[in-house]
Amino acid sequence: MSVILAFATSKYGIIASDGRFCSCNRIVSENFDKTLQFNKNVICGFAGYSRPCIQIVTELQNNPHIQKMTLESIIEFISIHLPKIIQGTEFASFLLLGKNIDEKIQMTGIGSNTKYLPYTEIPTENEYKFMTISPPRINTSKLFIDTLLEFQPDIQKGIDMTILRTSKLTDTVNNIRFQKDFFL
């Protein structure tokens, strides 16, 4: 299981991931980007079993209307389609960040861990919000907030160090970071 970090203020947001891609308990790639930009309004990070994650990403990227889809419509697509393709004990989660219909930055987590119901955070002025997808038995949220506090105001350093520290706790994560940024 990968680590995905999302951080947002009312003006900008970041989604970052490690680069290790595993399948059937073996490392397939050390440089796999699990972050992507769907369109000018939505970026995302994903983690879990590769087949359902990649299937959802591929279906969205092949959608002829992807460039015009809103954050809300992409969230709805994932919440409807992901449960249909998950098999048995498979796990898959997405963190999405973008501009919502109220023209505000919004982060949304959705997947197996939320029972496919979106969980949303919208930062207000003078605050930040964050979300994580973590490997089993690792509290990446606590690690992330502790690291952000240690390296503030350097968010990039906080993200880099959180991924590095997580990689030292599990062999499912490496310290190669991929990132997508979003600005209002």
Side-chain angles (χ1 to χ4, degrees):
M1 175 70 157
S2 302
V3 62
I4 309 294
L5 308 171
F7 176 92
T9 70
S10 62
K11 304 282 185 234
Y12 76 96
I14 299 166
I15 289 187
S17 77
D18 73 294
R20 182 163 287 163
F21 176 66
C22 298
S23 181
C24 300
N25 295 323
R26 67 179 183 85
I27 297 171
V28 175
S29 174
E30 294 288 1
N31 291 301
F32 188 80
D33 188 353
K34 294 167 263 188
T35 66
L36 60 102
Q37 183 167 356
F38 283 121
N39 58 36
K40 67 180 180 159
N41 292 317
V42 183
I43 61 175
C44 118
F46 58 90
Y49 280 84
S50 57
R51 185 194 54 79
C53 289
I54 292 170
Q55 185 174 339
I56 287 291
V57 166
T58 302
E59 286 178 23
L60 278 164
Q61 289 175 324
N62 290 335
N63 185 317
H65 306 289
I66 189 66
Q67 293 306 316
K68 294 180 182 171
M69 288 179 77
T70 64
L71 174 62
E72 291 82 1
S73 63
I74 291 173
I75 292 166
E76 180 180 14
F77 181 93
I78 293 171
S79 68
I80 290 170
H81 290 87
L82 188 57
K84 294 176 183 177
I85 60 175
I86 293 286
Q87 297 176 359
T89 61
E90 288 181 334
F91 173 87
S93 289
F94 288 79
L95 290 180
L96 297 115
L97 191 147
K99 181 173 67 172
N100 66 20
I101 58 172
D102 295 326
E103 304 272 323
K104 294 181 179 178
I105 287 188
Q106 173 180 315
M107 285 187 302
T108 299
I110 188 165
S112 307
N113 59 333
T114 66
K115 299 186 182 349
Y116 310 105
L117 299 172
Y119 174 75
T120 296
E121 293 278 1
I122 300 172
T124 58
E125 285 296 319
N126 303 318
E127 75 170 349
Y128 67 85
K129 300 281 187 175
F130 73 93
M131 292 182 168
T132 64
I133 299 174
S134 305
R137 298 173 296 287
I138 296 177
N139 188 347
T140 305
S141 290
K142 181 176 179 352
L143 186 62
F144 190 34
I145 195 67
D146 290 347
T147 306
L148 286 176
L149 290 171
E150 180 181 348
F151 290 101
Q152 72 179 357
D154 190 344
I155 301 305
Q156 293 295 323
K157 183 76 167 171
I159 289 170
D160 290 346
M161 289 306 295
T162 300
I163 291 173
L164 175 64
R165 290 172 176 169
T166 304
S167 74
K168 292 179 179 182
L169 299 172
T170 178
D171 62 354
T172 64
V173 172
N174 69 8
N175 65 350
I176 297 170
R177 179 179 55 81
F178 290 92
Q179 175 178 313
K180 299 293 181 281
D181 301 325
F182 182 84
F183 296 91
L184 255 186

